[in-house]
Amino acid sequence: MSMINYASREINCKLVYYGPGLGGKTTNLEHVYTKVAPDQRGKMVSLATETERTLFFDFLPVDLGTIRGFKTRFHLYTVPGQVYYNASRKLILKGVDGVVFVADSQVERMEANVEAMQNLYDNMAQYGYDLTKVPFLIQYNKRDLPNAAPIKDLQAQLNPGWPVEDPAKQKPAPDPWHAGESLVFQQDGAWVERAPYFEAVAVTGEGVFETLKAVAKLVLITLG
Amino acid sequence: MTGAGTWSIAEDDHRKITEHLAALLQESQARCALVVDRTGQMLANAGDALKFDPAAFASLTAADFSANDQLAKMIGEPEFASLFHQGEKESMYLADVARRAILVVLFDQRTTVGMVRLKVKQTVTDLSRVFEEMFGRASQGGGAKAPGLLEGAEDEIDKLFGD
């Protein structure tokens, strides 16, 4: 739930990185932490097990600049990816303003990706949030690995699109991040919308800021 | 509802909250008091200057309260309306405010948990009134709801995220 504080002149928004275990959610935050100037970010908090698996969440507040005299402060959270921790994973989604699904591109992880995506839809629905209406995008991580599945296959499995029922939105919308591709298009006579996607190699930082900027922008646009 | 929505805290609301916190500190002899929303954002604080990262503290407070809420449900309680964490020198008392926010009081040996608990009750009532008014106005279309602050700010947003 974004909050505009007129006393401190801040806009606070909550972004959650979701996805299967060992997919790179924490790595995304670690990269942001190392690259953002210390005066533009806060302390990174990680509630992790002794083997560095996320137990509850990682948290990193980042200032992305000033708009209309208000500091835009984004609170980045990751959830524990392991199936076992669903109770705590669900808690982190409370009040979320934007979601990044970090998928593991490796062919062997397809099933885990699909399971995590279903879990995301279910947990959002339990709060009364509709994932097709909130700022949401998918990051296909680990693109550098030799066993990475083709984007086409990942899109078909994880981002097949949802029906566009609002007649006002039933028109082609190009994907601003991928030339020649569309976010809203016709398929077998029906209008379909897909979430924007990004390719990344979080360990080297490739695609990390592109993903963050895109979701932050979508969140700010919905505030207007 | 499709998403979590937006709300805003006006300067006047912020002043009222801070005044209630200051009154609590005076009566309870606690060191400092903070109000954090349920999603982990710091809303206001009063008393001694904070020696820790307020954003990290707020996110952990909300997580602590949420986790305890779930534990309460597991044992058949609707909620734990307050929590107490006892340290050797410093302690924390946390209380729910109208299911919207969490009041956190930090105190040391100058006072007792009994005194803090007693005085917090009145502050929770006072703060609940402020929050209910804020959100009451929001549901009527004004007040706490963000009044289109970023309307027409697309250019500025583009510039902010342009490379």
Side-chain angles (χ1 to χ4, degrees):
Chain A
M1 191 177 199
S2 53
M3 193 264 292
I4 301 178
N5 190 332
Y6 282 87
S8 58
R9 316 267 317 157
E10 275 180 5
I11 300 172
N12 289 281
C13 303
K14 179 173 183 176
L15 304 179
V16 174
Y17 286 69
Y18 210 92
L22 297 173
K25 301 176 291 296
T26 301
T27 310
N28 263 270
L29 259 66
E30 283 170 348
H31 182 75
V32 173
Y33 181 81
T34 54
K35 291 292 170 191
V36 171
D39 61 338
Q40 286 176 318
R41 54 134 170 96
K43 186 177 151 64
M44 179 157 168
V45 175
S46 288
L47 300 186
T49 65
E50 283 172 11
T51 52
E52 299 203 355
R53 298 298 304 271
T54 306
L55 177 64
F56 199 168
F57 60 85
D58 305 304
F59 167 77
L60 176 65
V62 185
D63 292 333
L64 290 185
T66 302
I67 289 188
R68 301 247 156 122
F70 283 73
K71 213 185 251 184
T72 57
R73 173 163 267 221
F74 287 84
H75 289 181
L76 317 186
Y77 284 85
T78 68
V79 298
Q82 288 170 283
V83 177
Y84 177 76
Y85 293 126
N86 192 47
S88 49
R89 184 162 50 236
K90 196 176 132 193
L91 291 179
I92 304 306
L93 284 176
K94 190 179 172 69
V96 67
D97 296 303
V99 179
V100 174
F101 184 92
V102 180
D104 188 329
S105 292
Q106 297 178 91
V107 174
E108 305 78 38
R109 298 296 287 161
M110 191 66 95
E111 204 179 318
N113 287 327
V114 171
E115 196 182 337
M117 184 66 90
Q118 186 58 50
N119 177 259
L120 170 61
Y121 271 90
D122 293 347
N123 281 339
M124 290 287 278
Q126 286 190 32
Y127 283 116
Y129 306 153
D130 180 348
L131 196 56
T132 67
K133 305 261 173 26
V134 301
F136 169 53
L137 51 85
I138 300 176
Q139 180 190 75
Y140 295 119
N141 191 25
K142 309 191 188 180
R143 296 307 301 159
D144 59 327
L145 296 185
N147 55 343
I151 290 292
K152 181 172 60 67
D153 294 357
L154 288 159
Q155 285 278 82
Q157 289 285 325
L158 299 171
N159 196 15
W162 55 86
V164 181
E165 269 138 28
D166 180 359
K169 285 189 170 172
Q170 291 180 341
K171 54 185 177 197
D175 180 342
W177 296 284
H178 300 94
E181 295 183 34
S182 299
L183 293 178
V184 180
F185 54 93
Q186 267 186 311
Q187 197 172 50
D188 304 327
W191 286 95
V192 173
E193 181 172 3
R194 270 180 169 169
Y197 74 89
F198 288 84
E199 296 185 55
V201 183
V203 281
T204 63
E206 197 183 319
V208 169
F209 277 97
E210 288 82 349
T211 308
L212 172 59
K213 283 180 179 182
V215 71
K217 189 173 170 181
L218 290 176
V219 169
L220 290 178
I221 288 168
T222 55
L223 283 182
Chain B
M1 193 177 186
T2 55
T6 304
W7 69 289
S8 66
I9 179 165
E11 284 183 57
D12 195 40
D13 296 320
H14 188 269
R15 182 186 50 75
K16 279 187 209 162
I17 293 170
T18 313
E19 280 170 8
H20 288 309
L21 297 183
L24 167 68
L25 294 179
Q26 199 177 12
E27 290 176 14
S28 66
Q29 298 295 305
R31 282 201 314 108
C32 66
L34 311 94
V35 177
V36 172
D37 87 350
R38 288 282 185 146
T39 69
Q41 291 163 0
M42 177 75 74
L43 302 182
N45 68 286
D48 293 359
L50 305 177
K51 289 182 190 148
F52 44 78
D53 184 318
F57 188 88
S59 75
L60 288 168
T61 299
D64 181 19
F65 226 80
S66 297
N68 277 287
D69 248 3
Q70 295 303 310
L71 291 174
K73 288 191 176 80
M74 284 181 177
I75 64 163
E77 283 290 322
E79 61 172 358
F80 293 137
S82 60
L83 301 173
F84 172 49
H85 299 312
Q86 184 170 16
E88 215 168 280
K89 289 179 186 149
E90 301 279 334
S91 298
M92 286 171 61
Y93 190 86
L94 301 93
D96 169 66
V97 179
R99 307 292 296 163
R100 297 281 188 185
I102 302 157
L103 167 64
V104 188
V105 184
L106 304 184
F107 61 98
D108 57 21
Q109 289 131 332
R110 283 176 292 179
T111 186
T112 62
V113 63
M115 176 61 86
V116 171
R117 183 181 285 132
L118 182 71
K119 298 298 177 188
V120 155
K121 272 188 188 166
Q122 183 58 47
T123 309
V124 165
T125 308
D126 295 337
L127 289 176
S128 297
R129 204 175 301 127
V130 176
F131 277 91
E132 274 154 18
E133 273 175 25
M134 272 162 61
F135 283 91
R137 288 201 304 271
S139 62
Q140 287 163 20
K145 194 177 181 303
L149 173 75
L150 299 182
E151 211 173 292
E154 288 83 1
D155 285 358
E156 247 184 283
I157 295 173
D158 279 341
K159 215 157 91 186
L160 189 64
F161 295 113
D163 289 312

